Amino acid sequence: MSITSSELLASVASRELAGASTVFAGIGLPTLAVSLAQRTVAPDVEIVYESGVCGAHPDQLPETIADAVLITGSEAVLPMTALFGYVLQGGRIDVGFLGAAQIDRFGNLNSSVIGDWHSPAVRLPGSGGAMEVMANSGEVFVVMRRHDPRSFTAELDFCTSPGPDRALADGIRPRGKGVTRVITDLGILARDGAGEELRLVATHPGVTAEQVREATGWDLQVADDLSTITPPTEAELDTLRHEVDPARVYLR
Amino acid sequence: MSITSSELLASVASRELAGASTVFAGIGLPTLAVSLAQRTVAPDVEIVYESGVCGAHPDQLPETIADAVLITGSEAVLPMTALFGYVLQGGRIDVGFLGAAQIDRFGNLNSSVIGDWHSPAVRLPGSGGAMEVMANSGEVFVVMRRHDPRSFTAELDFCTSPGPDRALADGIRPRGKGVTRVITDLGILARDGAGEELRLVATHPGVTAEQVREATGWDLQVADDLSTITPPTEAELDTLRHEVDPARVYLR
Amino acid sequence: MSQVGKSDKTTSMRDAIAEFVTDGATVSLEGFTHLIPTAAGHEIIRQGRRDLTIARMTADVVTDQLIAGDCVSRLISSFVGNSTAGSLGELRRRVEAGALAFEEYSHYGMICRYLAGAQRLPFYPLRSYAGSDVPGINPGIRKVTSPYPAPDGGEEQIYVVPPLNPDVTIVQAQRADRSGNTQVWGLTGIQAEAVYAARKAIVVVEEVVADEVVRSDPNRTVIPAHAVDAVVECPRGAHPAFVQGYYDRDGEFYREWSRISGDPDRLRTWLDEWVLGTADHSEYVAKLGEQRWSDLAVGEAWSEPVNYGRRL
Amino acid sequence: MSQVGKSDKTTSMRDAIAEFVTDGATVSLEGFTHLIPTAAGHEIIRQGRRDLTIARMTADVVTDQLIAGDCVSRLISSFVGNSTAGSLGELRRRVEAGALAFEEYSHYGMICRYLAGAQRLPFYPLRSYAGSDVPGINPGIRKVTSPYPAPDGGEEQIYVVPPLNPDVTIVQAQRADRSGNTQVWGLTGIQAEAVYAARKAIVVVEEVVADEVVRSDPNRTVIPAHAVDAVVECPRGAHPAFVQGYYDRDGEFYREWSRISGDPDRLRTWLDEWVLGTADHSEYVAKLGEQRWSDLAVGEAWSEPVNYGRRL
């Protein structure tokens, strides 16, 4: 059986969670990654959902972050004021997962509009809690299936969720590092925090740095020690396929 | 059976609750007054307790505002943040009941210290929620068993819970009228709100205005239409003695 | 010492909407995926309300329907999307055409607006928006300087949002007693704050229950009677959203909505048939058919009771 | 997709206090009449901690005992009294003698300090303190100007309080699972906020229960495991306070405390006998005697279970 894009991205993302104890994650790839990490590099890691569910034990795969199967049998369902105020803004989240329509070289994200905000070509859903995840998590991982210059852009059409560099320029000290890892179907971009650009640190087997640079809308820096990502191991694939998502709901 | 001071004060206070729908009350006299009002002038009035209990249906008389018998069988127990933030500061309380060690002519209250705050002759309990009740209730009733110049003072040793006049002087517009009724063993002092002094509006039978003025530490104004308080009626006494507090826990 | 009087606030959906939702009003409809007051939204469309400002964190299907019903001139929201199932066709068309005023916030920005509203505060501070383009397009989001020094000894600034005080808030819940003590389990969302922030509040419930049911578990009461003006019993009123312990989310409907709302004619036909063409929610429920409701039925997972104790 | 690992945080009261309560620390002990962490206070006295700052809204009997045990140099509180039963002798003597630093707040001032602490805010606004003498003796209470106009169009000012971030918060609860998911019913007080505001948190419970008990009713979990560092099982640990559904308030003890604490010698003797003279809380409980516990026993009043539902 060949390795799907989801298996690849989930495996790679799970390895980055070693040491994390609380992760703020949405449904789909982030949940797959955390579930795999619980069985490999981070046995104690806990997923907190934006809906307020902590310690979920679903007996079926959830379809949304608020799915009834996440609530029944969970350890705690927090009021929204507690989830956003005490857990997220309180600084209790080590790693937040986010997606976006556009990302720039400092990891700032746009999920509001394509075009001008006042008369947009495309109205996107907006922040939801993304702005809060960015401002308050220790660090943020972004998983993007498609790596192309329209999404990896030199200039955002609109900055919904700013990283620490933009916050500092606005006179406010952020809690976390902002985006530290961007995991795509081509490789991994990384930065350590404020003041740094995202750099290409690893590519999937068979992908060249030049391919990634061409797929990126800015002049992407490449790490001196650029490495090749180890493909999902048999053990990782086995766990994903037989324990985490046996019905292949998200492992498409 | 002669009428006790508690019966007198509870009956008089209950009549003032006509039209009120939510009352913030402590245990003892205020609770007796509200319970009597529920059976006479204000059938729909609800007591909210500082502990967060709404719609209590105790099967025995409570000893404190947080008594277990108030919780069991009640309609709602609110988190403290909701009780103080949404109910009290949110402006949902029509009448608050307060006591104090000292009150001045504008209804400002001291429950912190006798003497200088930094080296007090007597350290009293402090505000508790009194400051919030004063700042946020539509109006405040004070029931004081003892009417003497030490308690009814020209100048407070310390102002714990300020009325609207002091708030306005501090540049902040208060929600309510502050103290509008002071019910004592001598009579009733009243004022309509900011800018007015408490005036003697009624005395108990046999009490003269001069007696009340002598028991008051400032030059107490007397209303032109000073009236005599109707003593507790047979119906009021009957309700208090047989329905509200048959065990005479507070009707001492 | 118990309370004697207890007012009965139960009424019909028709009367509740007619009395409390007026043209031009600001109406908050909350419920985060769970307990969405869909039936109330449909009744607003049936009664032809106009020029409403709708406040809703996750503006989803019912919001799109209200917009398509020409009820809405302004939207205050932090997420305008059809959950994981696609787009809101009418909302997107109108925003992209500049035909719907939109106040954009983040989720916590909306939460803090309700908190300020419920707490009667002039503003509420939060650690979001620093460096975002959102304050640039939303002048309601401002800055305050803290009167305390920052950790580094310098001056500290923080963004604040203004209070949101809806004319009426409408929420859906599992159950309430006749006077409005409302009990919710599963996701409780921002409903209590949205109710306390509002001038008037309508609670729509799956069941109006006996006083004794509510009073056996007072900690389950998320909204107390004193904050509620009308109680409407409307079973299955959240569809296509779910009600924990009552019925499941209709995922097929959400996916279908992206297709319906993507085509203005199809959307018009849908509204005519399912909302304007039904007299009330019970007709809508019946029209969905027994098979559909049987597919959404849920099994049992009962909480273990706790002892509140009784003085001996 | 379920969580695999689950850490066991259960420990003894002795070890929990030894590890998390250090000399000079700021310790929050919360619980509003209900669920007061008395046993934890006694263990702090037994271990001879010094120079603590105690934060407690209603500084009552256990606070007076900690002060008498020479553990406390500073108190942050909004009510210093023995409930309705009289005075706190040692606290009054020391404050009147200037021998105990006291930061005075109102109840909501304390609540807002915990809210700011839990929410990592530089300040929290509230509509108290205007015209009060409290800000004059407490420089922590300051003013901010709202960036929005007042209702009359003018400038609006509001008082704010600073965050309170205890080094450790200790709370008492009915039950928790081994990893710290803590369930409370009856008065829930400010405990969750005090825990979230703290760097470390100890939860003392009447019972450590099986995971399944907690998971049958997740809305009952007031404090989730991720905010808890130690779980101590200590039955009857709140005495003389009550625990809803477990035992009643010992009113006689509160009345007696006014007499005990009014006399320094008698207070010393009481501490020597009941706290320093007992090895741990189980000895204290046994010393109170079966008759006393039988007098405090409560009957049954069970909540009706609710259905969380299960996908079919």
Side-chain angles (χ1 to χ4, degrees), chain C residues 108 112 115 119-127 139-149 156-158 160-163 174-175 183-188 212-213 216-217 219-220 244-246 248-249 294 297-312, chain D residues 108 112 115 119-127 139-149 156-158 160-163 174-175 183-188 212-213 216-217 219-220 244-246 248-249 294 297-312:
Chain C
Y108 196 47
C112 291
L115 279 168
Q119 294 175 30
R120 209 169 48 85
L121 286 173
F123 61 83
Y124 201 97
L126 75 170
R127 292 198 182 272
I141 302 164
R142 300 186 184 174
K143 269 186 193 171
V144 156
T145 301
S146 171
Y148 307 103
E156 183 162 18
Q157 292 198 300
I158 188 159
V160 299
V161 290
Q174 277 105 338
R175 67 190 186 195
Q183 301 200 319
V184 180
W185 56 99
L187 302 180
T188 54
E212 290 66 34
V213 172
S216 85
D217 199 355
N219 285 108
R220 196 82 75 189
Q244 194 82 33
Y246 285 73
D248 214 336
R249 182 169 186 271
S294 150
V298 298
E300 295 184 359
W302 294 91
S303 65
E304 291 196 20
V306 299
N307 183 21
Y308 276 88
R310 192 170 292 289
R311 184 159 294 153
L312 298 171
Chain D
Y108 196 47
C112 291
L115 279 168
Q119 293 174 32
R120 208 169 49 86
L121 287 173
F123 61 82
Y124 200 98
L126 76 171
R127 291 197 181 274
I141 301 165
R142 302 187 183 174
K143 269 187 195 170
V144 157
T145 301
S146 171
Y148 307 103
E156 183 163 16
Q157 291 198 302
I158 188 159
V160 299
V161 290
Q174 277 105 338
R175 68 189 186 195
Q183 301 200 320
V184 181
W185 56 100
L187 302 179
T188 54
E212 290 65 34
V213 173
S216 86
D217 199 355
N219 285 108
R220 197 82 75 189
Q244 194 81 34
Y246 285 74
D248 215 336
R249 183 169 185 271
S294 149
V298 298
E300 295 185 359
W302 293 92
S303 65
E304 292 196 21
V306 299
N307 183 21
Y308 276 88
R310 193 170 290 289
R311 185 159 294 155
L312 298 170

Side-chain angles (χ1 to χ4, degrees), chain C residues 29-266:
Chain C
L29 298 162
E30 286 298 346
F32 192 83
T33 313
H34 183 217
L35 290 169
I36 297 174
T38 311
H42 289 178
E43 184 58 25
I44 292 171
I45 297 170
R46 283 191 201 99
Q47 296 193 16
R49 286 294 169 285
R50 291 291 175 268
D51 201 25
L52 301 179
T53 294
I54 295 291
R56 176 159 172 72
M57 289 176 62
T58 50
D60 44 14
V61 169
V62 69
T63 317
D64 211 27
Q65 294 169 346
L66 282 160
I67 294 167
D70 287 323
C71 306
V72 186
S73 61
R74 186 172 196 82
L75 177 66
I76 307 171
S77 180
S78 46
F79 190 87
V80 292
N82 182 9
S83 184
T84 47
S87 269
L88 303 175
E90 189 67 19
L91 186 148
R92 269 193 60 180
R93 277 188 297 276
R94 296 210 189 188
V95 171
E96 289 167 10
L100 175 70
F102 179 38
E103 285 184 39
E104 180 164 4
Y105 287 92
S106 61
H107 272 355
Y108 196 47
M110 287 290 287
I111 290 170
C112 291
R113 291 202 64 188
Y114 285 122
L115 279 168
Q119 294 175 30
R120 209 169 48 85
L121 286 173
F123 61 83
Y124 201 97
L126 75 170
R127 292 198 182 272
S128 309
Y129 298 112
S132 172
D133 282 337
V134 173
I137 53 85
N138 185 338
I141 302 164
R142 300 186 184 174
K143 269 186 193 171
V144 156
T145 301
S146 171
Y148 307 103
D152 66 3
E155 201 172 70
E156 183 162 18
Q157 292 198 300
I158 188 159
Y159 275 93
V160 299
V161 290
L164 179 54
N165 291 109
D167 294 306
V168 58
T169 287
I170 308 175
V171 300
Q172 181 95 22
Q174 277 105 338
R175 67 190 186 195
D177 65 19
R178 62 207 152 102
S179 62
N181 290 296
T182 305
Q183 301 200 319
V184 180
W185 56 99
L187 302 180
T188 54
I190 198 67
Q191 281 95 312
E193 289 75 17
V195 161
Y196 269 111
R199 289 172 190 87
K200 297 290 176 185
I202 302 172
V203 171
V204 184
V205 292
E206 295 294 320
E207 303 182 78
V208 173
V209 295
D211 297 355
E212 290 66 34
V213 172
V214 163
R215 289 173 46 194
S216 85
D217 199 355
N219 285 108
R220 196 82 75 189
T221 304
V222 167
I223 303 167
H226 66 238
V228 174
D229 297 281
V231 177
V232 175
E233 187 173 69
C234 180
R236 299 173 170 176
H239 177 273
F242 71 106
V243 174
Q244 194 82 33
Y246 285 73
Y247 46 89
D248 214 336
R249 182 169 186 271
D250 190 346
E252 181 51 37
F253 186 96
Y254 281 93
R255 286 185 289 275
E256 182 70 8
W257 186 257
S258 291
R259 290 187 288 270
I260 295 168
S261 70
D263 174 348
D265 292 336
R266 199 170 157 194

